[in-house]
Amino acid sequence: MTVTQPVKAVVIVGGGTAGWLTAGIIAARHQARMKAGGFSITLIESPDIRIIGVGEGTWPTMRQSLERMGVSETALFRDCDAAFKQGGKFAGWTTGAADDAYYHPLMLPQGFAQLNLVPHWMRETHKHSFCDFVTPQGRLCDEGLAPKLITSPEYRGLANYAYHLDAAKFAPFLATHCTEKLGVRHVLGNVVQVNQRESGDIESVLTPEAGEISGDLFIDCSGFSALLIGKTLGVGFKECGDILFCDTALAAQVPYETPDAPMASQTISTAREAGWIWDICLPTRRGVGYVYSSRHSSEEAARETLQRYIGPQHRDLPPARKIPIRSGHRQTFWKNNCIAVGLAGGFLEPLESSAIVLVELSAKMIAEQMPANRQVMDIIAKRFNDVTMYRWGRIIDFLKLHYVLTRRTDTAFWRDNVDPASVPERLKELLELWKYHPPWFFDEFDRLEEVFPAASYQYVLYGMGFQSEISPEDTIDTGLLASRLRQENERQTFELRSRLPKNRELLNKIHEYGLQPV
Ligand SMILES: Cc1cc2nc3c(=O)[nH]c(=O)nc-3n(C[C@H](O)[C@H](O)[C@H](O)COP(=O)(O)OP(=O)(O)OC[C@H]3O[C@@H](n4cnc5c(N)ncnc54)[C@H](O)[C@@H]3O)c2cc1C
């Protein structure tokens, strides 16, 4: 390939959620070129190595990603056992008391772009939780309500939402769509050799099943094995286990007591002795797992903790699957003509479902900035690395925020988590600042597609009882606007609570009648 030859052939190695989402997002953006025969996407997937098959919580970006790919939302609900997700509920993180819980909902606070409601909430002597003061969504979750109606078109909601879905079904679902509707070529084969040019660029990969496959741009979606970016190009891994201690997950699937049992509309994350337990409701079962630190708990104790949560009536379930977690990310994500996306790029504990959203954002950027030729590739790679590194850093800060605000001292895990040596410098600085200036809108979160905007920080900080010192003057000029936004919040809450159906009721209707396509 000469430096000015166009980039025409994209090869993706790996057919998990990362591989197929990346293929679909790029293919949807370059359909015209693909149909004209000037651009191709090939996805190679091992018939022998299973996809990770966990990862059931998504972010609202998924709606846009799927809609752009032309996926039917009704089909997603029916084929992937999908359900609605309206945020996260964090139980036991602050004090560990029975009533200790707060929401990180997906709706922004009322009038977020106009006014920071934090000072007004602080002055209201905390009659409501911060979440209830600024958005209806916590109360919708309390009541197990869906975020839309059966008459709402696909991908549109009355409240913001993402999905809980069966990860083992999602990748094959996307594969069918990408191959049948978007022209992605699917090769079942084991990559056993990677051929490089003198420059270090990857020229082709070899599979015994389908021979040699060449490409101009390679995307490594090979999961934890990081076949191209790690094993071939030797890009190192930046560990962050000294900040985020959880390094093991035990994943289980739990049946409902009855087929029509109520379904929570939020991921429930319950703090435990040495980590936390996720609980995700799908229509046919729950996905439940314990993410813990092996430095603070033995596997046996962790299994007991998980079993206690699941309940004695489920003693006979198959043993929870153990998955080691290596917290951290690649030192660079795009090297030569190879980009790491998904687990090949890194992984952090799934406390805020940040992995799949990063896949979507990476794929979107690759699709938008698809290099015209090799000559300009390094310039785009530099940008991509800069943005991606920024995102990993912010996600690490945000996840650590959940731990650093705890007042729990009952186990070494929680005590160690507030050790200043384990807190990133930037987060320490922000916490200092937020004592006097509550985070808002453009404060420090200035990127176009910030994974966690200032609103997310507000929900966690004030959900966990963080105190910002507010002077009375801070609220005088904006008092009128604040009370208008408060009234609007109450009006919306009333309206949504009276109109929205229960989560399971709507899912049943979607299965029976479908949503209106957009
Ligand atoms: C316990 C746990 C919980 C999680 N929960 C969430 C969550 O709630 N939300 C979220 O966003 N994320 C979550 N994640 C992360 C999420 O599961 C992953 O980001 C997502 O599934 C993407 O995985 P992947 O496609 O990168 O890798 P994989 O699913 O592992 O796919 C790797 C692919 O590479 C192929 N492959 C490997 N080697 C070769 C080879 N030599 N030749 C050819 N093909 C090869 C395999 O066959 C497979 O198709 C969780 C992860 C874990 C471990």
Side-chain angles (χ1 to χ4, degrees), residues 88 90 103 123 127 189 203 362 381 417 505:
F90 294 86
Y103 280 107
R123 291 193 57 74
K127 268 192 295 206
E203 185 167 23
S362 298
N417 253 302
E505 184 190 326

Side-chain angles (χ1 to χ4, degrees), residues 354 376 476:
S354 51
V376 295
I476 290 173

Side-chain angles (χ1 to χ4, degrees), residues 14-18 46 49 51-52 54-55 57 189 191 221-222 227 343 347 350 355-356:
T17 298
S46 163
I49 305 168
I51 63 170
I52 188 111
V54 281
V191 172
C221 295
S222 64
L227 192 64
L343 297 175
F347 183 60
I356 299 172

Side-chain angles (χ1 to χ4, degrees), residues 434-457:
W434 292 332
K435 281 187 194 158
Y436 305 96
H437 300 268
W440 185 45
F441 199 32
F442 46 79
D443 274 341
E444 295 281 335
F445 307 102
D446 53 355
R447 300 282 171 128
L448 190 59
E449 280 178 317
E450 197 69 56
V451 179
F452 297 109
S456 294
Y457 285 79

Side-chain angles (χ1 to χ4, degrees), residues 418-494:
V418 295
D419 178 351
S422 74
V423 184
E425 285 309 315
R426 182 176 179 278
L427 180 59
K428 275 188 206 156
E429 197 176 273
L430 286 171
L431 284 165
E432 205 45 47
L433 178 74
W434 292 332
K435 281 187 194 158
Y436 305 96
H437 300 268
W440 185 45
F441 199 32
F442 46 79
D443 274 341
E444 295 281 335
F445 307 102
D446 53 355
R447 300 282 171 128
L448 190 59
E449 280 178 317
E450 197 69 56
V451 179
F452 297 109
S456 294
Y457 285 79
Q458 291 190 346
Y459 286 126
V460 176
L461 282 167
Y462 303 109
M464 292 189 76
F466 184 80
Q467 293 296 319
S468 299
E469 267 184 43
I470 306 293
S471 76
E473 293 80 43
D474 279 350
T475 51
I476 290 173
D477 295 340
T478 50
L480 214 57
L481 177 56
S483 71
R484 237 184 285 133
L485 293 173
R486 287 281 302 125
Q487 278 166 19
E488 175 55 18
N489 193 47
E490 288 312 305
R491 190 199 62 73
Q492 260 188 31
T493 305
F494 178 79

